[in-house]
Amino acid sequence: MTPTFAELGVAAEICDGLRTHGITNTFAIQELTLPLALRGRDLIGQARTGMGKTLAFGVPLLDRVFDDADIAEMDGTPRALVVVPTRELAVQVAEDFEVAARFLPVRVTTIYGGTPYEAQVAQLRSGADVIVGTPGRLLDLHRQGYLRLDQVAIVVLDEADEMLDMGFLPDIEKIFDAVHSGADGDNQTIQTLLFSATMPAPIAALARTFMNKPVHIHADDPGTASTHASTKKITFQSHRMDKLPVIQKVLSSPGRGRTIIFTRTKRSAAELSDDLRSAGIKAGAVHGNLNQQQRSKALEAFRRGTVNVLVATDVAARGIDVDDVTHVINYQVPDDPMSFVHRIGRTGRAGRTGIAVTLVGYDELGKWRAINDELGFDLPEPPQWFSSSPELAHSLGLAEDERAPTR
């Protein structure tokens, strides 16, 4: 069994907050990260989705902001900054922070686009000790003079490779410049924690520029598989006209709980969610054609279990952090291997079992072969199955006449 947070020297108030949610023992990434981060060391952490990285950086951040002699006492000016790629992830990270900070006098504020400025400006004016936000809105509020970064002592970049893919690198560099320019005047040391599933060259260059002798931490051995070992993969070729009946069959499989269905385009996500609802299946959707309020409402319904099927595009799904997803369905093959890893990393988390079903379109075989080779799955050529195929029913643990999905 891994050590408890208390055994690793975490403040009692934080341990008490975590305990109210049944969290006492650390995951591997937390066990490796906490002793170093609590001492103020710079870290680069690599761990698959669902390995507990939010608390790996959140707990030491809160601990140091709350009670570290090297960080100025809280006065309502931000002492820590967490930069994430999407508003959904910002909300999720802040919620996790609130759990750990339940018994701390630390104020956590989220800053992201797609919502009016006034409420966020009001929060900053009333005092914020920890900021969690997306690059564009953070930089915008800083330029307008509402967000002070000169007293920030800890910076976290979460899902740095995703932010690179989304074109945020220039904004991140400007944020770092602003933080470090404030620190230079006070001879203040900035602790930087960078978390990224992969380490592309621009992210490595960013680390060399702004980090001080960072310790590189892997939650698993370098040879560990890129996806959770507890996830069963079911992959087959599916005709586009038969994909809806196939999905209905997957949704009727025994033990099926929360399920995320990934599409490659916003249009596909909208059409599929409409088709599922027309078939009587309660399904939510998150994609770029929905406004922030609609996306937040769908995510909240999924977290609460009001709906247990969520249709999402890759970009919109970043920030969905729900541990008990039993099934992931790839309605379309993603464009690259890392998107596949991020998709199916939503299930089989924290030691739970999961099922990842990939429907390979007849025109997507090339993409699937590239993913299969790049990730070293060594899976055979996907067979051609239909919704009526006994092989599909068998792989899902269904009797051949079981077709009606859970509604």
Side-chain angles (χ1 to χ4, degrees):
M1 181 177 289
T2 58
T4 65
F5 285 92
E7 289 170 342
L8 292 179
V10 175
E13 292 86 346
I14 295 176
C15 294
D16 290 343
L18 295 173
R19 196 175 296 114
T20 63
H21 278 64
I23 303 170
T24 54
N25 289 81
T26 55
F27 286 166
I29 187 68
Q30 297 159 0
E31 180 184 2
L32 295 168
T33 299
L34 287 173
L36 295 165
L38 287 168
R39 297 203 303 269
R41 290 294 304 273
D42 283 10
L43 299 176
I44 296 174
Q46 288 188 256
R48 296 191 304 266
T49 302
M51 298 299 287
K53 63 184 173 68
T54 301
L55 291 183
F57 61 74
V59 166
L61 178 152
L62 292 168
D63 192 294
R64 296 197 66 217
V65 167
F66 170 57
D67 186 24
D68 191 305
D70 293 332
I71 297 178
E73 189 173 342
M74 292 179 290
D75 62 1
T77 305
R79 296 291 185 262
L81 176 67
V82 181
V83 187
V84 299
T86 67
R87 64 197 77 174
E88 289 82 9
L89 186 55
V91 171
Q92 184 63 50
V93 168
E95 288 177 353
D96 289 345
F97 277 25
E98 294 287 0
V99 170
R102 179 174 180 178
F103 300 113
L104 298 179
V106 177
R107 290 163 290 186
V108 179
T109 297
T110 52
I111 300 292
Y112 49 82
T115 58
Y117 283 83
E118 291 78 11
Q120 295 176 358
V121 170
Q123 286 180 308
L124 292 173
R125 283 176 170 165
S126 65
D129 306 305
V130 176
I131 303 291
V132 183
T134 53
R137 180 60 65 93
L138 288 171
L139 196 57
D140 198 5
L141 288 176
H142 173 66
R143 284 169 172 163
Q144 295 183 51
Y146 296 118
L147 174 61
R148 287 183 57 183
L149 298 176
D150 57 304
Q151 295 298 310
V152 168
I154 305 171
V155 178
V156 177
L157 292 186
D158 189 19
E159 298 198 3
D161 52 350
E162 298 285 356
M163 288 193 277
L164 173 66
D165 290 343
M166 297 170 72
F168 285 137
L169 187 58
D171 285 351
I172 292 170
E173 291 173 337
K174 291 171 184 173
I175 290 170
F176 266 115
D177 284 337
V179 170
H180 282 267
S181 63
D184 290 343
D186 298 329
N187 294 318
Q188 178 180 322
T189 300
I190 306 297
Q191 180 184 23
T192 303
L193 309 176
L194 187 153
F195 286 78
S196 186
T198 60
M199 195 55 56
I203 298 300
L206 186 75
R208 287 193 298 270
T209 302
F210 293 106
M211 301 183 77
N212 179 29
K213 298 178 181 177
V215 178
H216 203 138
I217 290 176
H218 289 266
D220 306 290
D221 293 330
T224 300
S226 55
T227 57
H228 302 305
S230 54
T231 299
K232 176 184 177 181
K233 301 178 187 67
I234 302 172
T235 306
F236 55 94
Q237 295 181 60
S238 179
H239 191 281
R240 63 183 181 85
M241 299 298 292
D242 192 43
K243 284 190 175 184
L244 180 60
V246 165
I247 286 176
Q248 289 178 278
K249 196 154 194 176
V250 175
L251 295 179
S252 70
S253 55
R256 203 271 301 174
R258 283 189 178 88
T259 301
I260 302 177
I261 305 174
F262 284 99
T263 68
R264 202 167 55 245
T265 66
K266 294 179 286 187
R267 179 178 177 180
S268 295
E271 291 177 349
L272 179 58
S273 58
D274 287 344
D275 289 343
L276 289 171
R277 285 191 287 265
S278 295
I281 299 168
K282 293 181 179 179
V286 287
H287 54 78
N289 285 342
L290 299 175
N291 62 37
Q292 176 59 29
Q293 184 177 7
Q294 291 170 314
R295 290 162 66 174
S296 296
K297 184 177 179 181
L299 284 172
E300 185 61 23
F302 186 64
R303 289 194 183 101
R304 291 181 179 275
T306 308
V307 300
N308 64 9
V309 177
L310 187 69
V311 184
T313 56
D314 291 302
V315 172
R318 292 166 184 160
I320 299 175
D321 191 9
V322 180
D323 285 336
D324 54 350
V325 172
T326 63
H327 289 62
V328 165
I329 303 173
N330 292 309
Y331 181 75
Q332 295 156 324
V333 176
D335 289 326
D336 59 87
M338 285 315 301
S339 292
F340 186 86
V341 170
H342 283 295
R343 284 183 180 190
I344 71 172
R346 307 289 175 177
T347 189
R349 302 172 68 165
R352 297 181 178 90
T353 58
I355 294 177
V357 180
T358 301
L359 282 57
V360 181
Y362 294 171
D363 59 344
E364 296 178 320
L365 271 174
K367 284 184 179 180
W368 168 250
R369 288 168 183 152
I371 289 171
N372 190 30
D373 291 343
E374 177 72 20
L375 297 179
F377 290 153
D378 198 27
L379 295 174
E381 190 80 352
Q384 290 188 11
W385 289 351
F386 297 90
S387 55
S388 58
S389 297
E391 296 90 345
L392 175 60
H394 177 74
S395 69
L396 296 171
L398 283 167
E400 289 185 36
D401 60 350
E402 290 186 69
R403 295 172 182 265
T406 303
R407 300 189 176 185

